[in-house]
Amino acid sequence: MTSIAMLDPSLPSRFADGSAYEVFARLRSEAPVHYCAESRFGPFWSISLYDDIVEIESKPQLFSSEAKHGGVSIIDVDPAASAYFESFIMMDPPHHTGKRRVIAPAFNPSEMARLSQSIRDRTSAKLDALPRGETFDWVSTVSIDLTIDMLAILFDFPWEERHKLRLWSDAITSLDMIANRPEERVAHLFAMASRFHELWQERSAAAPGSDLLSMMIHSNDLAQMDAAEFMGNMATLIVGGNDTTRNSMSGMVEAFSLWPEEWDKLCANPEIIPNAASEIIRWQCPAIHMRRTALEDVEFRGHQIRKGDKLVLWYISANRQEDVFPDGDRFLVDRQNARRHLSFGYGIHRCVGARLAELQIQILLEEMIKRNMRVSLAGPVDREPHPFLAIVNSAPVMTMFKSSSII
Ligand code: HEM
């Protein structure tokens, strides 16, 4: 067994084959604040306990999200890169505060109520059109379409061009492109910025609307952005609004296939659907970690952290911490404290789109139950070796009626 001192929890393969859970169980018990001196992402501290993550996220004045210090992922932002990003997710107060405030009303309860019927209509149409009597890929048939359509609605993006949002989202997050095809990735990012710039110009001349672009145009804090910030904010909204919810919808079919009795429980008690949505997000943990950078030398739990050190806050670990979530590897739709998960982060950057993500998953579950549907895996789930996002590439499934006949 690798000695704890030599352990590199960030190895991407761990997140594809599921071995990360054992590694983090070991870190929680042997070295909850752990230093990895060498990795493909450089040296970093691993913070793997729930309360420690909460404490670090509560102190943005000491532990920064700023792009210029490296940003919010173990993969450093490179200020010299041609596609350099700045985004409000990678800003500390005071800059972060006003910018988040511009976006937040798009996710308030009245907006959620307004959007819910269109989410239900699209979800229903998608489920009614599913292939019958054959194996199909849940990710490309259901999760991707539902979340890309949602994103297009949020931006009021031209409907017939919405497939581009997927292309750009995948390019932003692809480790393969970052490492091996940077020019191709940069080309996608510039195409994204250029198309959004055209829409920005068009909407600037129009009356204020309720879409995200219009909200930014008619605000004090986001109306003027330089190229790096414009690209970064679009990228944050695209990845935030799409990948994470997509991967929750994909992860849930694996969870219900591993524990089919949980689906029975949900069908018998549909009132626990909101709790089940939280449990899906806890168990799948779509954002595996967030990262902060120390702004000063500081002692933390007996360890000397130096100014400039990278701290990786492993949500995937906190979400399965034994004394917070007993039997945390187990997926339980009626888990009492499922909502306490850290998948949305904590503190001033806590996910601004959390309600929308939950709503989309809840409606998907409701509409599946209404149709007496059961979805079961028909082959192995393919997960991306990625230390930042829990990406499900494909999930072959069969759908069945309650009566067990294949539809
Ligand atoms: C299950 C789905 C989702 C998960 C797991 C998730 C996770 C996260 C996490 C971990 C953060 C950073 C928290 C931190 O640093 O403490 C975040 C921030 C953010 N998320 Fe989400 N997210 C999801 C869905 C969404 C959706 C649907 C949107 C809508 C567009 C969205 C937009 C954002 C934005 C704009 C931020 C930056 C907030 C800030 O810096 O103040 N997310 N999200």
Side-chain angles (χ1 to χ4, degrees):
M1 193 195 273
T2 314
S3 74
I4 202 87
M6 300 301 291
L7 192 67
D8 173 6
S10 73
L11 283 182
S13 58
R14 298 190 195 287
F15 302 92
D17 65 18
S19 58
Y21 296 110
E22 282 164 40
V23 170
F24 288 112
R26 189 171 168 212
L27 283 185
R28 285 194 300 276
S29 98
E30 293 178 37
V33 177
H34 173 265
Y35 189 67
C36 174
E38 264 178 53
S39 82
R40 67 184 275 185
F41 308 107
F44 65 94
W45 292 93
S46 280
I47 311 296
S48 51
L49 290 182
Y50 191 102
D51 288 346
D52 291 351
I53 293 176
V54 166
E55 182 168 339
I56 288 171
E57 291 220 55
S58 306
K59 294 181 174 162
Q61 68 286 3
L62 201 53
F63 300 109
S64 168
S65 297
E66 287 278 346
K68 66 172 186 262
H69 301 309
V72 291
S73 152
I74 194 169
I75 309 157
D76 292 320
V77 171
D78 175 4
S82 50
Y84 174 62
F85 284 1
E86 283 203 9
S87 150
F88 65 97
I89 198 174
M90 295 185 224
M91 287 180 192
D92 297 333
H95 298 113
H96 164 260
T97 319
K99 294 173 195 270
R100 177 179 168 114
R101 222 175 266 147
V102 173
I103 298 294
F107 306 98
N108 68 23
S110 60
E111 273 306 287
M112 294 304 95
R114 190 180 69 81
L115 288 173
S116 66
Q117 191 55 49
S118 95
I119 297 174
R120 193 171 300 283
D121 293 345
R122 286 182 299 105
T123 305
S124 299
K126 175 52 75 185
L127 294 179
D128 289 339
L130 286 181
R132 294 176 176 234
E134 60 185 78
T135 301
F136 64 93
D137 176 27
W138 182 261
V139 177
S140 54
T141 316
V142 177
S143 321
I144 290 180
D145 283 5
L146 289 181
T147 47
I148 287 292
D149 290 0
M150 186 73 252
L151 198 56
I153 290 169
L154 283 179
F155 277 116
D156 196 10
F157 193 80
W159 197 244
E160 61 292 351
E161 290 178 47
R162 65 195 190 285
H163 63 278
K164 291 181 185 165
L165 295 169
R166 183 200 169 181
L167 206 65
W168 299 332
S169 181
D170 290 350
I172 296 163
T173 57
S174 165
L175 271 192
D176 173 43
M177 275 200 197
I178 292 172
N180 307 318
R181 292 178 285 143
E183 298 83 12
E184 192 182 329
R185 181 168 178 269
V186 169
H188 282 307
L189 294 177
F190 281 120
M192 171 192 80
S194 147
R195 186 66 185 105
F196 273 109
H197 188 65
E198 284 168 13
L199 294 171
W200 185 278
Q201 302 291 92
E202 285 168 21
R203 303 255 165 102
S204 299
S210 57
D211 63 281
L212 286 172
L213 279 181
S214 190
M215 288 170 94
M216 290 191 244
I217 290 166
H218 299 284
S219 73
N220 288 330
D221 291 276
L222 284 173
Q224 306 292 333
M225 290 185 259
D226 63 20
E229 191 184 350
F230 185 72
M231 178 131 73
N233 282 337
M234 296 307 139
T236 298
L237 289 164
I238 288 179
V239 173
N242 168 37
D243 270 61
T244 48
T245 315
R246 175 209 293 187
N247 291 314
S248 305
M249 289 180 175
S250 304
M252 86 181 198
V253 296
E254 184 177 19
F256 282 117
S257 286
L258 287 171
W259 293 285
E261 62 277 24
E262 297 302 311
W263 187 253
D264 297 335
K265 229 190 249 177
L266 202 57
C267 294
N269 306 286
E271 69 281 0
I272 61 171
I273 285 176
N275 198 71
S278 293
E279 176 68 351
I280 288 166
I281 295 168
R282 179 195 73 87
W283 187 85
Q284 166 68 12
C285 196
I288 295 172
H289 72 263
M290 284 282 152
R291 165 260 181 94
R292 298 293 185 260
T293 307
L295 293 178
E296 292 168 21
D297 289 355
V298 55
E299 195 183 306
F300 189 78
R301 307 282 181 260
H303 296 268
Q304 189 56 54
I305 313 264
R306 302 267 170 222
K307 180 177 175 180
D309 280 0
K310 185 192 296 197
L311 292 95
V312 179
L313 316 177
W314 294 106
Y315 299 151
I316 189 179
S317 172
N319 276 356
R320 301 205 179 187
Q321 188 175 317
E322 299 72 9
D323 57 348
V324 183
F325 302 105
D327 200 7
D329 291 336
R330 178 73 162 80
F331 171 72
L332 287 171
V333 289
D334 52 358
R335 181 180 290 283
Q336 283 196 344
N337 63 350
R339 279 192 71 75
R340 270 193 80 194
H341 68 71
L342 280 186
S343 297
F344 290 131
Y346 186 87
I348 60 166
H349 287 280
R350 187 180 188 273
C351 179
V352 76
R355 276 203 214 96
L356 181 61
E358 290 168 345
L359 183 68
Q360 291 175 86
I361 296 166
Q362 285 169 25
I363 290 178
L364 177 58
L365 294 172
E366 284 166 14
E367 293 303 318
M368 287 169 71
I369 288 175
K370 247 188 227 169
R371 285 165 178 72
N372 278 333
M373 246 179 97
R374 182 184 284 275
V375 179
S376 306
L377 283 180
V381 168
D382 177 27
R383 286 178 177 267
E384 182 77 7
H386 203 295
F388 184 51
L389 294 171
I391 298 172
V392 181
N393 290 324
S394 62
V397 298
M398 289 285 264
T399 51
M400 292 193 262
F401 276 131
K402 206 176 185 182
S403 64
S404 287
S405 62
I406 294 169
I407 57 169

